[in-house]
Amino acid sequence: MSIAENLLSIKNTLPEQVTLVAVSKTKPIPDLMEAYDAGQRIFGENKIQEMESKWEQMPKDIQWHMIGHVQTNKVKFMTPFVSLIHGVDSFKLLKEINKQALKNNRVIDCLLQMHIAEEETKFGLDDEELNSLLASSEFQEMKNIRITGLMGMATFTDNKEQIKKEFMHLKSIFDKLQIQQTDSFQLTTLSMGMSGDYKLAIECGSTMVRIGSSIFGGRN
Ligand SMILES: *Cc1c(COP(=O)(O)O)cnc(C)c1O
């Protein structure tokens, strides 16, 4: 099937409240344009320079999501245009995003990435780090970021029960935090689910799925 056909067939299965991020990392512009021409306007990339270069070359009504791990020293390259940063996993990073957003006179939407997988290697905050971040006065004074949700990645395994347990854990944190709403902290987005596990993620309450290979084909 073509990229457009893949995209549309996935879109047709998604419930109305679930947003599709087309993960286009490593793929060339013509592939992204095929998805664009089929109506897709949200693209996810995991490298800042690659996202910047694609942003420069592509139509300006695209919303660019940074889904990868972000190095603090590269934040400034995406602050003029990024629409949502999924992988905010430290206070230091959040401070830098706030600082660069201020320079650009913007308020940038961010998701806090939670560590839900068993693997040590996956990035993310644990419960304690999340609580201390939210409680800090420094966080409460940040005016140029808005936390709009949480993001998480399940363990890379075939064990559906385990993946489900991890997604349910993230959903329970998301639900618990609903009572703490402020102007800069309003959790509406739960970003979980990729090509292999997005159906399960939706069953567990995902509102945003990040799908790459099932749309664009495998990556090298
Ligand atoms: C690459 C990537 C995806 C998409 O993965 P697929 O399995 O190709 O759908 C989703 N989320 C993150 C954070 C990624 O890095």
Side-chain angles (χ1 to χ4, degrees):
M1 288 211 295
S2 69
I3 291 169
E5 285 167 334
N6 290 337
L7 177 80
L8 296 175
S9 78
I10 290 170
K11 266 199 159 158
N12 283 336
T13 68
L14 296 181
E16 216 178 322
Q17 76 279 7
V18 176
T19 301
L20 172 63
V21 179
V23 175
S24 48
K25 61 190 185 195
T26 79
K27 298 296 177 183
I29 302 276
D31 288 12
L32 279 70
M33 279 310 299
E34 189 177 340
Y36 179 88
D37 290 336
Q40 184 64 23
R41 291 295 181 272
I42 304 177
F43 290 85
E45 291 284 333
N46 72 339
K47 293 211 167 64
I48 291 176
Q49 264 112 351
E50 182 178 343
M51 181 168 77
E52 188 188 15
S53 148
K54 287 173 173 170
W55 165 67
E56 281 168 356
Q57 297 174 66
M58 292 189 62
K60 292 298 171 283
D61 61 344
I62 291 174
Q63 295 171 38
W64 292 99
H65 287 200
M66 173 43 58
I67 63 167
H69 184 66
V70 177
Q71 284 172 289
T72 312
N73 60 350
K74 295 197 177 143
V75 168
K76 57 178 177 287
F77 300 116
M78 66 174 163
T79 32
F81 68 92
V82 70
S83 152
L84 181 64
I85 302 174
H86 289 233
V88 178
D89 62 354
S90 74
F91 200 47
K92 183 172 157 233
L93 176 58
L94 195 60
K95 273 201 290 205
E96 177 66 11
I97 296 168
N98 187 62
K99 182 176 143 193
Q100 297 298 336
L102 175 62
K103 279 192 192 167
N104 286 272
N105 198 20
R106 294 189 62 198
V107 176
I108 294 183
D109 289 349
C110 298
L111 306 180
L112 296 175
Q113 182 172 1
M114 297 299 297
H115 186 273
I116 54 168
E118 246 178 19
E119 294 134 315
E120 292 286 333
T121 53
K122 295 229 160 107
F123 295 104
L125 302 161
D126 61 28
D127 290 353
E128 205 176 308
E129 289 166 326
L130 173 71
N131 290 334
S132 73
L133 189 156
L134 297 181
S136 74
S137 55
E138 224 182 326
F139 168 68
Q140 285 153 17
E141 281 156 19
M142 289 180 184
K143 295 277 183 284
N144 294 78
I145 50 101
R146 190 161 48 208
I147 306 293
T148 58
L150 302 178
M151 181 269 215
M153 287 171 85
T155 302
F156 187 71
T157 172
D158 289 332
N159 184 341
K160 285 229 152 59
E161 281 309 309
Q162 184 177 349
I163 297 173
K164 186 170 177 185
K165 195 177 81 190
E166 293 170 359
F167 283 155
M168 294 302 282
H169 176 211
L170 186 58
K171 172 70 159 86
S172 76
I173 302 169
F174 181 77
D175 287 344
K176 254 187 255 158
L177 291 173
Q178 293 298 326
I179 52 170
Q180 302 198 12
Q181 310 266 10
T182 65
D183 282 350
S184 58
F185 185 80
Q186 297 196 7
L187 302 192
T188 54
T189 299
L190 185 54
S191 167
M192 59 182 195
M194 322 188 350
S195 290
D197 57 19
Y198 74 91
K199 289 182 182 136
L200 190 53
I202 291 169
E203 282 173 33
C204 297
S206 171
T207 70
M208 185 173 277
V209 291
R210 311 175 308 268
I211 301 181
S213 46
S214 293
I215 298 172
F216 296 104
R219 294 175 297 269
N220 293 329

